[in-house]
Amino acid sequence: MLTFVGLGLYDLGDISLKGLECVRKADVVYLESYTSRLMGTDVPRMEAFFGKEIRVLGREDVEQDPREILERAAEGRVAFLTGGDPMVSTTHADLRMRAAAAGVATSIIHASSISSAVSGLSGLQNYRFGKSCSVPFPAKGWFPTAPVETVAANLALNLHTLVYLDIQKDRYMRIPEAVALLEEMAENRGIEPPALYVGIARAGSESPVVRAGSGARLKATDFGPPLHILVVPADLHPMEREYLEIFAGL
């Protein structure tokens, strides 16, 4: 059995009782570390909490060569840990399909996800979100503009956009940097940059930071440590506007 276990948003307190029981009974425990990370804990503390050795996986271990995971799951109980909810990321859906093709039984234990937490923290209605996008760190000779094109397409349909910020091995994109990159993308594509943003830092922690305002305001705001995420809202419903005024300083 291969069980995908969501860890939630921030620390060890976010896992469900069902997920905790599954991990403690597992023969092998893997942690996928590249789509999201729990900033309120680390691997040694997780191992002490679960009473299990944890094998940390990179992208290539899951997407390119997951044979070890599938072989272990064919022989015993494997817990595959992910930040947030397991099936929000398509890479996990792909692994589940590979397991099915190999005759390995699978199950999912869900947990809190950033996609729902954003609506709760910002007050932006979840059914008004369009296609999401990710802002990557630019590289030499590579500066994609697809994220701002997604934002513009959503705004044309009066839909909000959830903007994921790049996570790399040794650095995490911050909200001010993401806003600056979106503005540069908009200039390169001849697109009007967004007039309003909502930035959220450390969702799931005891002290998340939520701020709404112009690009200039968010670039000047200290959101503190990661993880950060960004929303570009469409036209605000009166209730959304009031919520942002109360809880995000709009």
Side-chain angles (χ1 to χ4, degrees):
M1 172 71 77
L2 173 60
T3 303
F4 295 83
V5 182
L7 295 174
L9 294 170
Y10 187 72
D11 59 24
L12 290 169
D14 288 341
I15 193 171
S16 68
L17 292 176
K18 187 185 296 183
L20 178 59
E21 181 181 15
C22 173
V23 176
R24 288 181 171 169
K25 289 182 176 179
D27 299 309
V28 182
V29 180
Y30 293 103
L31 172 64
E32 181 271 284
S33 64
Y34 60 89
T35 59
S36 184
R37 293 178 192 169
L38 269 63
M39 303 306 292
T41 189
D42 55 28
V43 172
R45 281 184 281 177
M46 291 173 67
E47 290 182 323
F49 181 71
F50 294 131
K52 294 285 183 179
E53 177 186 357
I54 295 176
R55 306 183 186 192
V56 180
L57 301 172
R59 183 181 295 273
E60 63 281 355
D61 299 316
V62 180
E63 296 183 355
Q64 297 177 22
D65 188 15
R67 285 178 297 176
E68 179 188 327
I69 302 169
L70 299 179
E71 288 170 0
R72 292 279 188 162
E75 299 169 354
R77 294 170 296 189
V78 170
F80 183 90
L81 310 183
T82 73
D85 183 86
M87 289 301 147
V88 171
S89 174
T90 55
T91 186
H92 306 148
D94 176 72
L95 179 60
R96 191 181 187 206
M97 291 189 289
R98 291 190 191 211
V104 175
T106 62
S107 64
I108 305 169
I109 300 177
H110 296 283
S112 53
S113 167
I114 192 61
S115 59
S116 56
V118 160
S119 291
L121 289 169
S122 69
L124 297 173
Q125 296 160 356
N126 65 349
Y127 60 85
R128 295 196 58 212
F129 279 78
K131 180 182 177 181
S132 61
C133 63
S134 300
V135 175
F137 285 109
K140 185 177 180 180
W142 182 70
F143 189 82
T145 58
V148 81
E149 293 166 16
T150 296
V151 169
N154 283 339
L155 289 176
L157 297 172
N158 201 24
L159 297 174
H160 308 317
T161 307
L162 181 60
V163 183
Y164 294 94
L165 309 189
D166 200 0
I167 298 174
Q168 295 189 358
K169 184 176 181 180
D170 56 353
R171 59 177 177 166
Y172 306 87
M173 185 175 291
R174 311 294 180 104
I175 289 163
E177 184 175 11
V179 171
L181 287 170
L182 284 172
E183 291 178 339
E184 186 176 351
M185 292 176 196
E187 183 178 358
N188 290 348
R189 294 292 295 155
I191 297 172
E192 187 71 22
L196 178 65
Y197 298 88
V198 179
I200 298 173
R202 297 174 304 287
S205 72
E206 293 183 357
S207 55
V209 174
V210 185
R211 296 288 183 271
S214 66
R217 182 188 179 197
L218 264 65
K219 285 189 291 184
T221 299
D222 180 5
F223 284 89
L227 294 176
H228 293 186
I229 196 161
L230 189 65
V231 182
V232 178
D235 294 338
L236 296 175
H237 181 278
M239 183 177 290
E240 292 177 315
R241 180 172 293 279
E242 183 178 0
Y243 196 104
L244 288 172
E245 289 172 349
I246 295 171
F247 296 109
L250 181 64

